[in-house]
Amino acid sequence: MIIQRVPTGIPKFDELIEGGFPNNSMILLVGYPGAGKTTFSAQFIYNGATKQRARGVYVCFAETKETFLRNMLRFGWDFERLEREGRVAILDLSVTRESGLQKNLDTIMETMASLNASRLVIDSFTAISMGLKDPIDIRVMVHLLYRFLKKAGCISILIVDQPWGSSSLGEGISEFLADGIIHLETYFDKNEVFRRRLRILKMRGTNHTRRPHEYDITSEGFVILNGRKEVKTAKKTFSKPLTFTDLSKVKGIGSKRAEILKSIGINSAENLIEADPEFISEKLRISERMAYRLIENARKLVYKR
Ligand SMILES: Nc1ncnc2c1ncn2[C@@H]1O[C@H](COP(=O)(O)OP(=O)(O)OP(=O)(O)O)[C@@H](O)[C@H]1O
Ligand SMILES: [Mg+2]
């Protein structure tokens, strides 16, 4: 069976995981204070809403909606406008922490359904579990949340706050249930320079990177930096013009389909990977399933798998 993938649109990140998150997956994003967990997740929602016609819900538990909106504007991401246009919803559940998990889940579920959202971020999962003192409660909550997320049929990012110096990733259950785990780390190198490093610890059904990758938070948001090894590969890539793969080389796309795709701004296999399957099926007059298949074929061609 083909694994459908959802690109994050975060520069150079998708290529570390074969093009994107597997569909309907629950991802744990674990990281130290200030590592960039909120930035990464918000960028995933923002790119979905602005580039892929994917609606998203961002749940703020740890910080207020007001702070979130203000900080995101620094990156040029106007979530208030997206919310007005019905493309995202920002839920501020920090004040209702006492009101019980089930009620919060109901609110999230209703919002997801009314928006027809396919992306969800919970910032943070740690903040929700702090309301529960008993480990049994946490266990119940994790299972409840997991079943809820699988039913919602979305990609979800659950943020896990990791204290400095801690090597534990979560409370012990969610790591096994999660389809993917991304770890964000900050550290000081031997010259006392502050650096950031990312690792993919798990991504089901995916031949993911096994190396650490340096990243940074810039005025544009989250970006993966080129390591020394990557610079080499990048040079090799440039000498062959692989960044623009001919559409007609994608299995299932003949010259006629390539023409139609070009007329709507999809000029290469790389563009096709990022396209919205619903939009493609509409324009090519094919089923959505077939559109997914073509996108998958493009991904296989570009990533040579
Ligand atoms: N506009 C900006 N330009 C460059 N770097 C920024 C900008 N805004 C934030 N940062 C960097 O990103 C860090 C915060 O990122 P973010 O809020 O995504 O982290 P976090 O992991 O969610 O933090 P927390 O654990 O507090 O929730 C800041 O400490 C700062 O180093
Ligand atoms: Mg945060």
Side-chain angles (χ1 to χ4, degrees):
M1 210 178 101
I2 302 167
I3 295 184
Q4 291 159 2
R5 291 189 187 272
V6 177
T8 62
I10 292 173
K12 298 202 181 85
F13 177 77
D14 292 323
E15 58 204 68
L16 306 180
I17 52 168
E18 281 194 74
F21 292 133
N23 216 5
N24 197 10
S25 53
M26 173 176 122
I27 309 293
L28 291 189
L29 180 63
V30 188
Y32 292 161
K37 305 177 293 292
T38 299
T39 310
F40 181 99
S41 312
Q43 202 162 343
F44 171 66
I45 297 285
Y46 186 83
N47 286 344
T50 55
K51 297 181 188 162
Q52 283 132 9
R53 297 205 310 179
R55 298 196 183 101
V57 174
Y58 198 101
V59 184
C60 302
F61 261 100
E63 59 180 323
T64 63
K65 178 171 174 175
E66 201 189 341
T67 328
F68 173 81
L69 291 175
R70 200 182 51 219
N71 290 344
M72 294 309 111
L73 264 184
R74 291 289 323 273
F75 301 115
W77 306 332
D78 190 348
F79 275 94
E80 221 167 2
R81 178 176 58 86
L82 292 181
E83 196 167 33
R84 269 199 312 273
E85 293 169 358
R87 293 197 269 175
V88 300
I90 321 288
L91 290 180
D92 191 343
L93 296 183
S94 49
V95 285
T96 55
R97 211 178 280 172
E98 310 78 39
S99 69
L101 176 69
Q102 189 57 56
K103 190 158 170 259
N104 280 333
L105 287 186
D106 288 346
T107 312
I108 299 171
M109 187 61 128
E110 277 159 26
T111 314
M112 295 281 296
S114 70
L115 205 67
N116 196 10
S118 58
R119 298 181 180 207
L120 169 71
V121 171
I122 297 189
D123 189 356
S124 69
F125 174 63
T126 316
I128 307 185
S129 16
M130 260 163 24
L132 311 166
K133 287 180 193 69
D134 198 332
I136 304 259
D137 286 349
I138 296 185
R139 210 169 266 262
V140 171
M141 177 197 75
V142 171
H143 279 283
L144 205 70
L145 198 60
Y146 184 75
R147 253 178 307 184
F148 159 80
L149 292 172
K150 289 291 160 177
K151 206 169 96 193
C154 62
I155 302 271
S156 52
I157 297 182
L158 307 188
I159 293 179
V160 177
D161 302 316
Q162 188 183 37
W164 273 305
S166 159
S167 58
S168 131
L169 299 179
E171 77 308 302
I173 316 143
S174 47
E175 298 95 293
F176 289 100
L177 283 179
D179 300 296
I181 304 179
I182 304 167
H183 187 233
L184 304 182
E185 185 190 10
T186 53
Y187 65 101
F188 290 94
D189 70 8
K190 59 179 187 321
N191 299 318
E192 290 296 307
V193 178
F194 180 77
R195 293 191 185 277
R196 304 172 196 270
R197 185 162 58 194
L198 165 151
R199 285 184 174 90
I200 310 282
L201 301 184
K202 167 178 177 181
M203 194 64 64
R204 285 186 183 142
T206 305
N207 182 10
H208 60 82
T209 178
R210 286 180 279 283
R211 296 201 301 108
H213 293 266
E214 295 272 327
Y215 69 93
D216 203 3
I217 315 279
T218 69
S219 56
E220 318 265 280
F222 198 102
V223 282
I224 304 281
L225 303 174
N226 272 336
R228 230 181 285 157
K229 278 184 191 157
E230 276 168 319
V231 172
K232 257 192 184 164
T233 351
K235 268 195 193 139
K236 228 166 81 194
T237 315
F238 271 123
S239 58
K240 287 191 266 165
L242 262 182
T243 45
F244 193 84
T245 313
D246 194 343
L247 264 180
S248 57
K249 292 213 172 89
V250 177
K251 198 173 153 206
I253 305 243
S255 55
K256 205 169 149 203
R257 282 181 178 164
E259 277 315 304
I260 300 173
L261 290 174
K262 280 179 189 162
S263 75
I264 53 172
I266 296 171
N267 294 308
S268 64
E270 286 78 5
N271 290 158
L272 183 57
I273 295 175
E274 301 238 315
D276 175 17
E278 200 183 310
F279 187 50
I280 298 295
S281 79
E282 206 176 281
K283 292 295 168 190
L284 293 184
R285 294 167 187 259
I286 54 176
S287 67
E288 219 168 289
R289 203 186 153 87
M290 183 62 192
Y292 268 115
R293 184 155 297 171
L294 294 179
I295 292 172
E296 189 54 34
N297 289 347
R299 184 173 291 121
K300 276 188 190 154
L301 180 70
V302 169
Y303 294 102
K304 300 263 176 265
R305 276 174 230 281

